[in-house]
Amino acid sequence: MTGFKNVKAYVKDKGLITTDISVENGKISAIGENLDITDPLPYCEGQAVLPGFIDEHIHGAAGADAMDGDKKSLFTIADALVKEGTTAFLATTMTQSPENIKRALKNVDVCMKEQQSGAKILGAHLEGPFISEKHIGAQPLKYLKDPDVDFFNELSAASGNNIRLITLAPEERGAAELIKAAVHNGATVSAGHTDAGAEQIAEAIKNGLSCITHTYNAMRPLHHRQIGTVGAAMLFDELYAEVICDLIHVSAPAVKLLVKNKPKNKIILITDAMRAKALSDGVSELGGQTVIVNGGEARLTDGTLAGSVLKMNDAVKNMVLKCGVPFTDAVDFATVNPANNLGLKGYGEIKVGNFADFAVLDGEFNVCATVVNGKVAYKS
């Protein structure tokens, strides 16, 4: 039987324990002592077996971008992500022409059906075009659109109804109707690239909003007379809060403040990585815009941050070593929390019946092996 023998593993409701884990038909079949593991999965003493990481907000890696709209690019991203312990992800689009967004979404649908290796493509994250001009970030201004239910339905149809997450500005005209429609369609709705104040976020929550996109970045900041989107992220416990923990987009004290003010089951680590991830510094591209990558920072030519080159195992490492978060909490931020935010069943925890998706890390947070559906997808 395939599985792990006598390993240190982070098991649901038990914490880090020494145990055996058996795998059958791509799922976890048993957890306990003295299991008959005849075909052991990669593991060495001193390592930890964790649930596979889930990245709900990633644009690209290894020279490829979800907006490329072709199978080779999306499969390239999937194959790159397992090297950082990520076993599942949402292919994230961006504000672009309707034709380009639809092409990218159609490609997600095709690749979900044909994928054979790498991290699992769970669907799409639609970031834009229903966002605020005031917090445009690295999104192309000319393609912004007011929230539009009919257009969203066109995009959903193009994706094969695989839009699992949508980022929008809830203060924009038509947003309330779109939030309701998206939730009815099975998508999680997140506020991002937004100028919404706390009152507008509170109203959006009533309509089904449940998350904040890359908290602190591209949104109205906290002020003592108007707490803005950032303050609302901390005030409303029911909201999940994404954070890019590269310590470039958000400082360590800001991450600590967020962690201190949110329930620990509501924080989500994302990479928001673009195509330059896993490549050398130099010139890259995002949505037709030139990006300069230097020293781990990806910026447009005007200096605007343009996504990241962050790896998920490094995000977990930064949470623990730079922000003082307990190890298992940091792992939750990259596993069970995004799974719950997206309503995923069978993901995010090591428990019987869940998919056999694992990240094996050493004491330095290096990824030693990644297992997807019970099969080794990466080994260092």
Side-chain angles (χ1 to χ4, degrees):
M1 183 179 295
T2 299
F4 290 102
K5 186 69 178 177
N6 196 36
V7 299
K8 184 178 181 181
Y10 179 29
V11 176
K12 176 178 170 55
D13 297 330
K14 295 183 179 180
L16 280 166
I17 62 171
T18 300
T19 189
D20 300 344
I21 304 170
S22 65
V23 173
E24 293 183 82
N25 300 317
K27 294 189 175 182
I28 298 170
S29 56
I31 301 171
E33 298 180 352
N34 302 316
L35 299 182
D36 185 22
I37 307 298
T38 55
D39 182 19
L41 293 167
Y43 176 83
C44 293
E45 187 176 351
Q47 297 172 355
V49 177
L50 311 173
F53 301 142
I54 300 168
D55 197 346
E56 69 176 35
H57 191 156
I58 175 169
H59 296 273
D65 190 289
M67 289 301 297
D68 292 343
D70 61 77
K71 290 190 287 186
K72 180 179 179 182
S73 289
L74 209 48
F75 291 153
T76 294
I77 297 168
D79 288 338
L81 293 188
V82 290
K83 297 178 182 179
E84 58 196 68
T86 296
T87 55
F89 71 104
L90 295 185
T92 304
T93 61
M94 65 179 297
T95 302
Q96 254 291 340
S97 69
E99 296 75 22
N100 285 345
I101 296 174
K102 287 180 182 179
R103 184 178 72 247
L105 292 173
K106 288 178 181 177
N107 185 56
V108 170
D109 185 33
V110 169
C111 290
M112 289 176 69
K113 296 171 181 174
E114 297 184 11
Q115 185 177 9
Q116 296 181 353
S117 66
K120 286 181 277 191
I121 306 163
L122 297 179
H125 173 181
L126 187 72
E127 186 181 19
F130 311 118
I131 57 177
S132 169
E133 180 178 342
K134 294 180 180 179
H135 300 278
I136 190 69
Q139 306 269 341
L141 179 63
K142 66 179 180 179
Y143 294 119
L144 291 192
K145 289 179 67 69
D146 286 336
D148 184 320
V149 173
D150 289 339
F151 183 47
F152 171 77
N153 288 337
E154 290 179 22
L155 297 178
S156 180
S159 75
N161 197 34
N162 283 310
I163 296 176
R164 286 193 172 271
L165 178 64
I166 173 174
T167 289
L168 52 72
E171 75 279 9
E172 296 295 312
R173 183 178 60 188
E177 292 76 15
L178 179 52
I179 292 170
K180 294 174 184 176
V183 171
H184 179 74
N185 208 48
T188 297
V189 182
S190 187
H193 294 273
T194 173
D195 199 49
E199 296 81 6
Q200 291 164 313
I201 293 294
E203 189 63 29
I205 291 171
K206 294 178 184 178
N207 293 323
L209 183 86
S210 58
C211 186
I212 301 292
T213 297
H214 44 50
T215 307
Y216 292 111
N217 299 116
M219 62 185 58
R220 181 184 284 196
L222 187 152
H223 185 274
H224 60 280
R225 284 192 293 272
Q226 167 51 265
I227 66 170
T229 320
V230 172
M234 298 182 191
L235 179 63
F236 299 116
D237 285 351
E238 59 264 51
L239 290 175
Y240 286 89
E242 293 183 351
V243 64
I244 309 168
C245 195
D246 58 358
L247 308 184
I248 297 168
H249 281 76
V250 185
S251 70
V255 174
K256 291 178 181 179
L257 182 65
L258 182 67
V259 171
K260 186 175 182 179
N261 286 279
K262 292 296 293 180
K264 66 180 182 179
N265 65 334
K266 292 292 185 176
I267 297 172
I268 296 173
L269 282 171
I270 61 166
T271 66
D272 195 14
M274 41 85 72
R275 70 169 78 242
K277 172 156 75 167
L279 301 179
S280 301
D281 284 358
V283 179
S284 188
E285 178 272 346
L286 180 67
Q289 305 165 106
T290 299
V291 177
I292 308 298
V293 182
N294 183 30
E297 297 186 19
R299 296 182 180 271
L300 301 182
T301 53
D302 67 1
T304 302
L305 282 168
S308 83
V309 292
L310 178 66
K311 297 177 181 178
M312 190 61 84
N313 60 308
D314 288 331
V316 174
K317 179 180 180 179
N318 288 340
M319 269 287 178
V320 175
L321 299 185
K322 302 295 184 180
C323 301
V325 173
F327 176 70
T328 53
D329 287 352
V331 172
D332 287 347
F333 296 171
T335 56
V336 66
N337 291 3
N340 288 339
N341 181 45
L342 299 174
L344 300 174
K345 303 299 182 183
Y347 288 89
E349 297 174 302
I350 295 177
K351 71 174 185 178
V352 173
N354 274 14
F355 290 102
D357 297 341
F358 306 100
V360 183
L361 270 60
D362 67 16
E364 303 297 321
F365 295 85
N366 299 308
V367 178
C368 305
T370 303
V371 177
V372 178
N373 290 340
K375 297 180 180 180
V376 178
Y378 170 73
K379 187 177 184 298
S380 64

